[in-house]
Amino acid sequence: MPEAFFAGMQGIRDSAASFSASVAAGVGVNESGGQALIKAIDKMYEGVTNALSKSDYLSQEPPLGTTPAAQVYKPFLASVATDPAQGFITAATKFKQDLEQMRSDVEKAMAAYQTADQDAKQGISKAAGPTLSA
């Protein structure tokens, strides 16, 4: 489970980086598509923020008892959350930052789309020339 979860977060982080590069290259997103992306990003952001608010709890050794196996698992399970290189807290914090960047990129892409749309409308109006009525 943890490997799949972290792989999923990494996949989203990779997609966010690709999207950021696309936005820098001028890709636009229309209003309805942008709002749908923002809604999804906000939902993920809320979930990550909620999980990180419980980081003190996540970093504690679980009460598994005193058996030899429990003594081995307790520190391991706590380290899954707190490992500075690949622990959940570190990964979730980076993911939260990526979501903030992705939301900003969506807003930029929506603005780029709006600008391109306005430019296209002006181009059509200029190409049509003045309208005369009888």
Side-chain angles (χ1 to χ4, degrees), residues 11-90:
I12 294 172
R13 292 187 76 218
D14 292 344
S15 295
S18 295
F19 183 72
S20 193
S22 297
V23 170
V27 167
V29 174
N30 69 20
E31 181 72 22
S32 63
Q35 289 302 326
L37 286 169
I38 287 173
K39 185 177 178 181
I41 291 166
D42 288 348
K43 190 169 185 171
M44 285 187 285
Y45 187 87
E46 182 182 325
V48 171
T49 300
N50 185 32
L52 286 171
S53 72
K54 300 173 185 172
S55 62
D56 287 342
Y57 175 74
L58 295 171
S59 63
Q60 296 175 9
E61 290 185 1
L64 297 177
T66 58
T67 66
Q71 297 305 314
V72 171
Y73 278 110
K74 286 193 289 188
F76 170 74
L77 292 174
S79 74
V80 169
T82 60
D83 184 273
Q86 57 188 4
F88 173 77
I89 295 169
T90 301

